[in-house]
Amino acid sequence: MQHAVWAAFLASIACGVIGTYVVVRKIGFISGGIAHAAFGGIGVGYYFGINPLLGLIPFSLLSALGIGLLSKKGKVAEDTAIGAFWAAGMAVGVVFIGLAPGYAPDLFSYLFGSILTVPSSDLLMIAGLDVLILLVVALFFNEFLATSFDEEYAEVSGIRTTMLYLVLLCLIALTVVVLVRVVGIVMVIALLTIPPAIARNFSRNILTMMVASSLLCLLFMLAGLWLSYLFNVASGAMIILLAAAVFMITAAGRRLLGRT
Amino acid sequence: MTSPVVTLKGISVSIEGAKILEGLSLDVHENEFFGIVGPNGGGKTTLLRVILGLQKPTSGRVTVFGKEPLLSRKKVGYVPQHASFSRDFPISVGDAVLMGRLSRKKLFRHYNQEDRTVVEEALQTVGMAGLKEHHVGGLSGGELQRMLIARALVGQPALLLLDEPTASIDPVMKTTIYDLLDTLKDDMTIILVTHDTGTVSKHVSRVACLNCRAAIKTREHITHEELSDTYRYPVTMVKHGPPDQRPVTGNDA
């Protein structure tokens, strides 16, 4: 249980910070594509008998760069690039898991999350990824803000917008790795979008939005964990259901209050 | 004549088979206030994008301060026709204008007190000093355009490109903006895209009448035939004021 609380705390940091960029840049679908494509890395990890999270890191990074380069530099529509990587990554995962000898007992935990079974080694990896993500965001904070707010003006200002976009996609890929143990590949997109979308309602700037998103993320994880224990259901699904319910209530509340 | 800040030689631009600009050549000189008028779809915004390096010409050569446009961006300020950002982005007016200082920074850019002072001065210049802490989503169309002008000014550019900056601004603020541009032209070169043929002729030194091709005229030599030909629509000219200071006015084609 202690590991689960630590996992929730550490995952909520990356989730709130990177999720904020995902929401303000409206790239939720790309994040979903990276998460699903990363399943290939889990399959490769199983096949070679290594920690699937270690297979996940290079695979999600390559998927992020592939989607980013194809949509920015290649003459491929963004949703086409996402669709191709999304399905191909899943297919690679299925093929390698099929080829791997024996049975993959904790496959479900990567697909749908299993915060209660996070080992110490994964906690260390998640903490390391958090530090890396926060460091890169701190270094490029103003550049990320400028490109998120007005990409064309940022380019005119001499900022290398494509390079920064690829760096951001790589940070999303690393956040996917962080969140996989908590809610699983299938539901990562919800944690990257719902807490920041709620936080935006009462945030005056991007920094407060990041902090509020992280706190909301932590709240959803801990409350979802408790509810899953109470009702004896899967924790990942309960976390997402709780987040989605709060999102719908806040959206309805805003509408009732006349704010769009 | 001063050295050219912008040089275009035989610039043609085609986008998805449609010819937007054809064989355009012109020089814009230091401290010149240069106007570009023409109908919608005539290539005005595309021309600005070519100068900014955002649009590669199909043929021809463009230099800005003697270099490729991409290498001169730090000296260029830009006021776009429309705000391309989302109005629900969580950011204050002051922080949005502060981004105009990024062009003066190196890698890992961080703002200092001087940057914030320049932002306050720019907001005061465009009459928005009291709105610094306001959220951008709450601005009117005119306030938004003034904010974009302030953002371009804080970069203290040597070349300022404005794409219809007074389109949503009331007549009083429009006069203020043009008076401001008149003051700025002592320190920088200004290229202004507009439909406001009447006002522009009062302020600019030369005008390009652009409709795929360009006819470059000094403001004294703009004729209603020229404007009618550019807009492909009859344009009436009314001359008023003392005989030696009569600006050209045209209807909003």
Side-chain angles (χ1 to χ4, degrees):
Chain A
M1 189 64 180
Q2 207 176 356
H3 278 193
V5 174
W6 271 110
F9 174 72
L10 292 171
S12 64
I13 296 172
C15 172
V17 172
I18 299 304
T20 293
Y21 289 121
V22 169
V23 168
V24 297
R25 290 199 63 143
K26 299 183 173 80
I27 51 174
F29 191 42
I30 292 182
S31 312
I34 294 169
H36 284 78
F39 183 64
I42 291 174
V44 171
Y46 272 118
Y47 181 77
F48 288 106
I50 55 170
N51 181 349
L53 279 190
L54 289 176
L56 195 63
I57 293 176
F59 222 86
S60 59
L61 286 172
L62 285 174
S63 306
L65 291 173
I67 292 172
L69 285 170
L70 263 183
S71 58
K72 285 276 179 187
K73 295 282 183 191
K75 289 183 176 177
V76 177
E78 194 172 83
D79 60 340
T80 308
I82 295 165
F85 271 87
W86 183 311
M90 295 291 285
V92 168
V94 170
V95 166
F96 273 88
I97 287 169
L99 290 173
Y103 174 66
D106 52 354
L107 178 62
F108 248 56
S109 72
Y110 291 104
L111 282 172
F112 303 106
S114 179
I115 195 169
L116 287 165
T117 61
V118 179
S120 304
S121 57
D122 284 3
L123 278 182
L124 277 175
M125 188 193 292
I126 292 171
L129 290 175
D130 266 346
V131 171
L132 179 63
I133 289 166
L134 289 179
L135 193 68
V136 175
V137 168
L139 281 174
F140 292 105
F141 185 80
N142 286 326
E143 287 89 342
F144 278 139
L145 178 61
T147 53
S148 302
F149 179 60
D150 188 343
E151 190 164 14
E152 184 178 270
Y153 193 82
E155 194 176 343
V156 170
S157 300
I159 294 175
R160 297 174 71 182
T161 53
T162 302
M163 189 272 283
L164 273 177
Y165 180 66
L166 294 176
V167 171
L168 181 61
L169 292 187
C170 287
L171 293 182
I172 292 172
L174 295 179
T175 308
V176 165
V177 177
V178 167
L179 291 175
V180 155
R181 274 302 206 166
V182 180
V183 288
I185 279 171
V186 176
M187 292 181 285
V188 158
I189 189 171
L191 270 193
L192 277 175
T193 51
I194 293 175
I198 298 170
R200 182 159 65 176
N201 294 333
F202 50 85
S203 300
R204 288 189 56 80
N205 60 49
I206 206 158
L207 204 56
T208 54
M209 188 173 161
M210 285 175 176
V211 174
S213 302
S214 294
L215 291 174
L216 280 169
C217 213
L218 181 61
L219 182 72
F220 292 144
M221 286 186 204
L222 295 180
L225 199 57
W226 176 68
L227 287 173
S228 70
Y229 169 74
L230 211 63
F231 296 108
N232 194 25
V233 291
S235 57
M238 204 65 213
I239 290 167
I240 299 304
L241 277 178
L242 178 67
V246 174
F247 173 69
M248 284 172 201
I249 291 166
T250 53
R254 275 172 65 83
R255 197 168 173 80
L256 283 174
L257 290 170
R259 295 172 66 185
T260 53
Chain B
M1 186 64 89
T2 52
S3 58
V5 168
V6 175
T7 301
L8 300 168
K9 282 185 183 158
I11 293 292
S12 295
V13 176
S14 295
I15 299 174
E16 291 177 1
K19 208 172 273 184
I20 311 294
L21 294 173
E22 191 179 1
L24 186 67
S25 295
L26 66 88
D27 288 337
V28 180
H29 296 269
E30 203 176 317
N31 297 111
E32 189 172 10
F33 191 168
F34 190 87
I36 301 171
V37 298
N40 291 335
K44 304 187 297 297
T45 298
T46 303
L47 176 56
L48 287 194
R49 290 177 65 81
V50 167
I51 296 169
L52 286 164
L54 294 172
Q55 174 70 52
K56 279 189 180 173
T58 316
S59 62
R61 184 158 189 265
V62 55
T63 60
V64 180
F65 296 104
K67 298 175 185 170
E68 295 288 314
L70 290 178
L71 301 175
S72 303
R73 279 179 170 169
K74 289 185 187 299
K75 291 182 176 179
V76 180
Y78 173 50
V79 180
Q81 187 177 358
H82 303 291
S84 56
F85 47 82
S86 171
R87 296 291 290 271
D88 61 0
F89 197 97
I91 193 167
S92 67
V93 170
D95 284 346
V97 173
L98 199 53
M99 286 180 196
R101 295 290 287 175
L102 277 176
S103 59
R104 302 178 67 83
K105 303 274 173 190
K106 291 182 177 166
L107 199 61
F108 310 137
R109 304 158 169 93
H110 288 280
Y111 303 117
N112 54 28
Q113 190 50 45
E114 188 198 342
D115 298 322
R116 295 179 199 283
T117 306
V118 173
V119 166
E120 281 175 19
E121 287 168 358
L123 285 173
Q124 194 134 23
T125 304
V126 298
M128 290 182 70
L131 297 175
K132 188 183 156 201
E133 301 300 330
H134 279 230
H135 181 250
V136 288
L139 298 181
S140 68
E143 287 168 341
L144 200 63
Q145 259 179 318
R146 283 189 278 150
M147 186 196 86
L148 297 179
I149 293 170
R151 185 179 65 174
L153 292 181
V154 295
Q156 296 164 330
L159 169 64
L160 181 61
L161 307 177
L162 304 105
D163 194 353
E164 298 188 38
T166 56
S168 318
I169 289 179
D170 63 63
V172 176
M173 189 43 72
K174 194 183 278 189
T175 307
T176 309
I177 296 292
Y178 278 120
D179 289 345
L180 170 67
L181 294 178
D182 274 338
T183 316
L184 291 172
K185 72 182 177 192
D186 295 335
D187 300 320
M188 62 185 74
T189 306
I190 300 173
I191 299 179
L192 169 72
V193 164
T194 183
H195 281 302
D196 194 353
T197 50
T199 311
V200 77
S201 62
K202 194 174 155 191
H203 296 273
V204 302
S205 43
R206 285 189 304 153
V207 180
C209 299
L210 187 65
N211 192 356
C212 195
R213 292 162 177 271
I216 318 292
K217 299 283 173 185
T218 56
R219 70 174 174 189
E220 295 81 11
H221 293 98
I222 305 170
T223 62
H224 74 275
E225 289 90 352
E226 199 76 62
L227 290 172
S228 297
D229 191 43
T230 302
Y231 280 92
R232 291 178 186 148
Y233 186 83
V235 174
T236 311
M237 282 177 60
V238 181
K239 294 192 175 183
H240 52 83
D244 58 333
Q245 293 176 18
R246 279 178 183 165
V248 177
T249 55
N251 64 349
D252 241 8

